[in-house]
Amino acid sequence: MLKNLKQFIFSLEMKKKKREERNISLPGSNDLFVGLDGILWRKRHRVFSFISAVSCCLLLLLFAFSVLTPPPTATDHFLFHHISAVRKTQAVESIFDKAFEVPASGGNLGRDLWSSSQSKFYYGCTADRKTHPNRYLMIATSGGLNQQRTGIIDAVVVAYILNATLVIPKLDKHSYWKDTSDFAEIFNVDLFISSLERDVEIIKELPRNGGEAWVPHMRVPRKCNSECYQTRVLPVLNTKHVVELTKFDYRLSNRLETDLQKLRCRVNYHALRFTDPILEMGKILVERMRMKAKHFIALHLRFEPDMLAFSGCYYGGGEEEREELGAIRMRWETLPVSNPEKMRRHGRCPLTPKEIGLMLRALGFGSDVHIYVASGEVYGGEKTLAPLKALFPNFHSKETIATKEELAPFSAFASRMAALDYIVCDESDVFVTNNNGNMARILAGRRRYFGHKPTIRPNAKKLYKLFSDRNNTTWDEFASKVRTYQIGFMGEPKEVKPGKGEFHENPDSCICEAKDLKSSQDQDRNNGVGVSDEQEQQSLEEGPDWTDTDYLDNNAVLTKRGQPEEEEFFLD
């Protein structure tokens, strides 16, 4: 319509000009032009006023929205922290100081808690087999299940070194646990013999030639190497044709030729298998843990009275604790007077259940994680366990996931019960040790050999200082330091250099590397995964020490003069 008016006015103006040029006047034309111009101006004014009003309204709405509504990210941030704060206020507050507030969540560490990034690049490998049957070697083991296991493994290697026929080792029935089990009641004896028949001839009993033969007994020094056995034992074996090595635990050097180390691995990881009843019950326990959670932690708590007494550590229980543990400690007459503060400062004391729980939370494991605890009688009972259970309420043991009837065939035998814990710990996604005893070392090595499943060992020396001062720091600072201190103690490949540490814990001669390893190592190094200097310093470096000690008496029994050996009951 406006366009038509413009055209009409334009045509009038043109006609007016032509008439003026011709001096012809058109009556009323000027008045008409002025009237139409006014109409057009009023219409324009109304349109512009309407547009301005609408624009102002829109601007006012936008301004009000921006002032009254916070940005979306700020809202999410506020809600996240609000919800987290509510969740943190749980039963844990009744146990820990509010100044040191432990979160229920383990947080997001940017890495998989349940596996090692380099595990796929390593796999177990053992030596080619040989046949060396000759003479008769008998072995009497010592200690608990896993200490005896090391003796059995080394017995096969010693028989190989001496070209001797090995008689099935005798298990210790007289030490702390008083377990009457024979070899065949714990281990599959037929598999043990057949698996090693190309390395060493193994028989169940010593042949009887015309009655009971006198068997000379010997005790060799610890860490005795191949030359030691050939010098000290072989002459007796050549003369008598049979010899029994007593108290046989850690009597073979940690450092041996590669073929002998690989024979150790073949015995430990392939020939030594539990009996079917033990394996079947162990499988049931593992399946029940898997029904509860996709992943679970197995914790070897090792907080029994005998362990604490042997360590000489003090945990704040006053005179009652000192008297109780002191009485147990008197069983070992050769132990020196303990200095608890020094022992703890040097990282020689097991962490308390509460400290283990705090370490695991700092490493990223939340309160929803399921924990299987492999342990005997915990010193202090439920009172000692309460802080750990508050942090990890999904708390299990073989006694809680199996019935008394199911455990009855095993419960009267300490070694068979320990074998069940061994199986569950081996099958766990993460294994946590609380001391560097036999079970911890044996399982750490086995988990390295079979795919480098994570094994966490507390860096007790560094964590001691941190736990002592935890109420003077924030949770975030505490957790950050725990993660830093635990680098090199998480069961990653190459945490311990080859040749260092106890071989059963670090069977480096039996770990082979994949070809495409280097690129992954570089990536993990950038992510802070690797070996710490602290781990390097704390590795046990064993060297031969038999050469500077006289070990012979008139009865051909090798014992160390003037210094009786301590029995390592506390080492499982």
Side-chain angles (χ1 to χ4, degrees):
M1 181 178 178
L2 290 173
K3 185 176 179 182
N4 293 334
L5 284 171
K6 288 180 181 180
Q7 291 176 351
F8 180 71
I9 293 169
F10 179 77
S11 62
L12 288 176
E13 287 178 344
M14 293 301 295
K15 289 179 180 180
K16 181 179 178 183
K17 284 183 180 180
K18 289 180 180 179
R19 288 190 179 93
E20 285 177 350
E21 289 175 357
R22 298 174 183 173
N23 295 321
I24 300 174
S25 176
L26 183 62
S29 62
N30 287 336
D31 295 336
L32 180 61
F33 174 77
V34 172
L36 291 173
D37 191 43
I39 292 169
L40 182 61
W41 182 85
R42 284 194 298 273
K43 289 185 178 290
R44 285 177 177 171
H45 180 71
R46 290 173 183 170
V47 171
F48 291 151
S49 298
F50 177 75
I51 292 173
S52 298
V54 171
S55 300
C56 287
C57 290
L58 290 174
L59 287 172
L60 286 171
L61 286 172
L62 288 172
F63 176 74
F65 185 77
S66 63
V67 169
L68 298 176
T69 307
T73 54
T75 302
D76 294 345
H77 186 69
F78 172 78
L79 287 174
F80 173 79
H81 284 284
H82 176 70
I83 293 169
S84 298
V86 172
R87 288 178 177 172
K88 290 174 187 175
T89 310
Q90 295 180 342
V92 179
E93 288 186 352
S94 63
I95 297 172
F96 305 110
D97 291 336
K98 292 183 179 179
F100 183 75
E101 192 169 308
V102 183
S105 169
N108 183 9
L109 302 184
R111 64 182 291 268
D112 188 357
L113 292 171
W114 303 104
S115 65
S116 166
S117 59
Q118 292 191 23
S119 61
K120 60 185 176 183
F121 299 108
Y122 294 87
Y123 56 93
C125 50
T126 55
D128 294 333
R129 297 184 173 187
K130 296 180 180 180
T131 302
H132 286 274
N134 198 8
R135 311 179 187 95
Y136 295 103
L137 177 67
M138 301 178 69
I139 296 291
T141 61
S142 175
L145 173 66
N146 295 289
Q147 188 170 330
Q148 293 184 89
R149 188 184 187 100
T150 64
I152 295 167
I153 295 164
D154 289 347
V156 175
V157 179
V158 170
Y160 183 96
I161 292 170
L162 298 173
N163 293 339
T165 295
L166 178 67
V167 181
I168 287 292
K170 298 177 183 178
L171 300 190
D172 186 352
K173 300 180 182 181
H174 306 290
S175 62
Y176 179 79
W177 297 273
K178 301 291 188 295
D179 191 320
T180 59
S181 301
D182 291 321
F183 187 101
E185 293 174 299
I186 296 178
F187 299 105
N188 186 329
V189 65
D190 293 327
L191 176 68
F192 181 70
I193 293 172
S194 62
S195 296
L196 298 168
E197 62 185 357
R198 294 175 59 188
D199 299 293
V200 174
E201 183 179 357
I202 304 174
I203 58 177
K204 295 181 180 180
E205 294 180 348
L206 185 68
R208 299 180 183 274
N209 296 322
E212 192 76 24
W214 176 76
V215 178
H217 290 64
M218 300 178 68
R219 184 179 298 178
V220 296
R222 293 184 184 275
K223 299 179 268 187
C224 192
N225 62 16
S226 299
E227 183 185 352
C228 168
Y229 279 98
Q230 290 167 351
T231 302
R232 296 171 179 267
V233 181
L234 189 56
V236 180
L237 195 59
N238 284 333
T239 303
K240 303 295 181 180
H241 305 292
V242 59
V243 66
E244 180 174 321
L245 303 181
T246 63
K247 197 169 171 52
F248 197 78
D249 57 343
Y250 294 98
R251 304 291 167 175
L252 183 61
S253 174
N254 193 50
R255 296 180 179 180
L256 297 172
E257 296 85 349
T258 299
D259 283 350
L260 296 180
Q261 299 287 51
K262 290 192 173 185
L263 177 55
R264 264 177 165 163
C265 292
R266 187 156 59 254
V267 179
N268 192 6
Y269 306 134
H270 300 284
L272 262 185
R273 187 182 299 173
F274 294 122
T275 59
D276 288 343
I278 292 175
L279 287 176
E280 288 168 6
M281 189 65 228
K283 182 180 179 182
I284 290 172
L285 295 175
V286 173
E287 288 175 348
R288 289 178 184 172
M289 286 302 299
R290 292 286 178 214
M291 290 170 64
K292 296 178 182 297
K294 181 180 179 181
H295 301 292
F296 72 93
I297 293 173
L299 168 61
H300 187 216
L301 191 54
R302 208 61 180 102
F303 208 72
E304 295 90 347
D306 64 301
M307 175 64 195
L308 304 187
F310 194 101
S311 69
C313 299
Y314 174 68
Y315 292 93
E319 195 60 31
E320 182 181 359
E321 178 185 322
R322 292 190 180 94
E323 289 180 1
E324 288 177 350
L325 298 184
I328 299 173
R329 187 174 173 83
M330 289 177 65
R331 296 174 184 172
W332 300 282
E333 297 177 357
T334 59
L335 289 180
V337 177
S338 65
N339 184 337
E341 181 61 28
K342 182 179 179 181
M343 295 291 287
R344 193 151 172 80
R345 191 168 60 248
H346 289 177
R348 304 284 180 85
C349 297
L351 301 186
T352 66
K354 176 179 177 179
E355 290 168 341
I356 287 286
L358 289 172
M359 180 193 73
L360 291 175
R361 183 58 48 80
L363 291 174
F365 295 99
S367 59
D368 59 333
V369 169
H370 287 251
I371 293 183
Y372 176 92
V373 177
S375 176
E377 176 193 358
V378 174
Y379 183 71
E382 284 299 315
K383 182 179 177 181
T384 302
L385 289 173
L388 177 60
K389 289 184 175 182
L391 285 165
F392 294 94
N394 299 308
F395 188 93
H396 313 282
S397 67
K398 55 184 175 293
E399 289 79 10
T400 64
I401 60 176
T403 65
K404 288 184 178 181
E405 291 73 20
E406 288 174 320
L407 294 177
F410 315 97
S411 57
F413 305 93
S415 291
R416 300 182 207 183
M417 292 291 274
L420 297 179
D421 280 338
Y422 181 100
I423 293 169
V424 181
C425 289
D426 182 36
E427 292 293 329
S428 67
D429 299 282
V430 172
F431 175 53
V432 181
T433 74
N434 194 23
N435 78 316
N436 206 33
N438 286 300
M439 182 169 173
R441 290 197 292 259
I442 287 283
L443 275 171
R446 181 178 179 85
R447 291 170 69 87
R448 282 188 170 99
Y449 184 84
F450 288 108
H452 272 280
K453 293 186 289 185
T455 300
I456 300 173
R457 181 163 66 92
N459 183 352
K461 186 175 181 180
K462 286 286 186 70
L463 292 178
Y464 158 71
K465 302 173 185 176
L466 192 57
F467 286 130
S468 299
D469 198 42
R470 69 175 181 269
N471 290 327
N472 297 323
T473 185
T474 66
W475 170 258
D476 289 340
E477 291 171 341
F478 173 84
S480 177
K481 287 182 179 179
V482 168
R483 292 165 188 167
T484 300
Y485 293 161
Q486 283 299 121
I487 294 175
F489 291 79
M490 301 294 287
E492 294 284 346
K494 299 294 185 182
E495 279 186 346
V496 183
K497 288 187 177 180
K500 294 195 174 182
E502 207 274 326
F503 182 77
H504 295 299
E505 180 181 10
N506 183 38
D508 55 278
S509 300
C510 307
I511 305 295
C512 297
E513 298 179 3
K515 295 179 180 179
D516 50 349
L517 168 67
K518 191 176 185 303
S519 60
S520 176
Q521 281 183 329
D522 293 339
Q523 181 179 355
D524 274 353
R525 200 173 289 113
N526 294 333
N527 294 333
V529 178
V531 183
S532 70
D533 294 336
E534 188 75 14
Q535 170 75 357
E536 184 68 23
Q537 293 171 7
Q538 290 192 15
S539 297
L540 300 175
E541 190 169 349
E542 297 185 351
D545 64 354
W546 59 271
T547 54
D548 56 359
T549 311
D550 183 12
Y551 276 88
L552 188 61
D553 67 13
N554 294 331
N555 296 319
V557 179
L558 299 182
T559 55
K560 192 170 183 178
R561 288 180 178 172
Q563 186 179 349
E565 291 183 328
E566 299 164 9
E567 292 192 70
E568 298 186 54
F569 296 149
F570 75 105
L571 293 179
D572 323 307

